[in-house]
Amino acid sequence: MKTAITLLAFCALTADAFTSPAKPFGSIQRPRSGPLYETTTENDVNDEPAMNPDNPALPELKGDFDWDAKFSGDADWITENVPGKIVLNEIELAQQVTELGKLEEKWRKERLQQEYEESKTVGFVSNAELLNGRFAMFFLATGLLTELWTGVSMPGQVEELLRIGGFIGFE
C-alpha cells in the first residue's frame, strides 16, 4: 500500500513534466532593448547589395576584402596581440599550400588503398572468410531444417541434389 501511494505521488508530481509550462522554471525576464530587439520600418531597410569599396560599380566580394577595416568599429574585433596569430609572406604560404597538397594526396592514396582492401572478397582476406562463414552457417541451418521437415538426412540431401543435377546416377 505504501508503495502504491509513493508511486501515485510520484506520478502526480511528474504528470506535467512533458508539457510546456507557461513560464519556464527559473526563467529570468530580461529587458528587450538593444540592437537585437529594435524594429525597423520600411524606410530603414536597404535592399541594395553591398558594393565593393574599390570599385563601386561591382558588388562586394566575399572573402576578398579587408576584414579588419570592415569590422574595426566593432568593440569585440581585435587585430593586435591575437594569440596564435602569425604573419606569413607569400613564399611561406605557398610552401604550406604545397605541403598540405602532399598530405592530402598521401591520405587520399591511403584511403583508396584501404577501400580496395576492404572490397576484396576472393582469397585469404577477412571479408572473404566472413562471407564464407556466413554462407556455411546459413546452409547448415537450411540443411538441418530440411532434415527436420522431410526426414532426409543431410548426406541424403546432397545425394539427391547431385542426382537432380545429373552428376551421378547415369546407369
Side-chain angles (χ1 to χ4, degrees):
M1 182 70 179
K2 187 176 182 181
T3 307
I5 293 172
T6 306
L7 184 61
L8 286 174
F10 179 74
C11 290
L13 290 174
T14 60
D16 62 340
F18 299 105
T19 60
S20 59
K23 182 178 176 183
F25 178 73
S27 67
I28 299 172
Q29 295 294 329
R30 293 184 178 89
R32 294 188 178 237
S33 62
L36 292 177
Y37 298 105
E38 292 176 358
T39 58
T40 58
T41 61
E42 291 182 19
N43 297 337
D44 296 337
V45 177
N46 184 6
D47 290 336
E48 296 179 17
M51 302 311 286
N52 188 341
D54 296 332
N55 188 352
L58 297 175
E60 184 177 61
L61 298 174
K62 301 289 183 198
D64 194 25
F65 58 91
D66 188 10
W67 289 90
D68 293 335
K70 180 168 181 152
F71 294 105
S72 62
D74 190 355
D76 293 333
W77 188 261
I78 56 171
T79 58
E80 298 170 1
N81 299 327
V82 177
K85 181 178 179 181
I86 57 172
V87 178
L88 299 176
N89 60 25
E90 290 185 19
I91 295 173
E92 291 172 332
L93 190 59
Q95 287 173 343
Q96 278 191 358
V97 168
T98 304
E99 293 298 320
L100 286 174
K102 288 178 186 176
L103 274 176
E104 179 184 6
E105 183 66 21
K106 175 186 169 188
W107 290 337
R108 187 184 65 79
K109 286 180 181 178
E110 288 176 2
R111 180 181 48 85
L112 290 175
Q113 181 66 27
Q114 182 182 7
E115 288 175 359
Y116 171 72
E117 292 294 329
E118 290 174 354
S119 68
K120 283 183 172 179
T121 57
V122 179
F124 292 103
V125 294
S126 62
N127 198 18
E129 295 295 325
L130 184 68
L131 288 174
N132 186 21
R134 287 179 180 170
F135 281 126
M137 288 185 288
F138 173 75
F139 285 110
L140 179 66
T142 303
L144 290 174
L145 288 173
T146 304
E147 184 176 347
L148 175 71
W149 290 324
T150 62
V152 179
S153 66
M154 287 179 65
Q157 293 175 34
V158 172
E159 179 186 2
E160 189 173 337
L161 177 69
L162 293 175
R163 285 191 191 280
I164 292 173
F167 298 106
I168 60 172
F170 291 122
E171 43 300 323

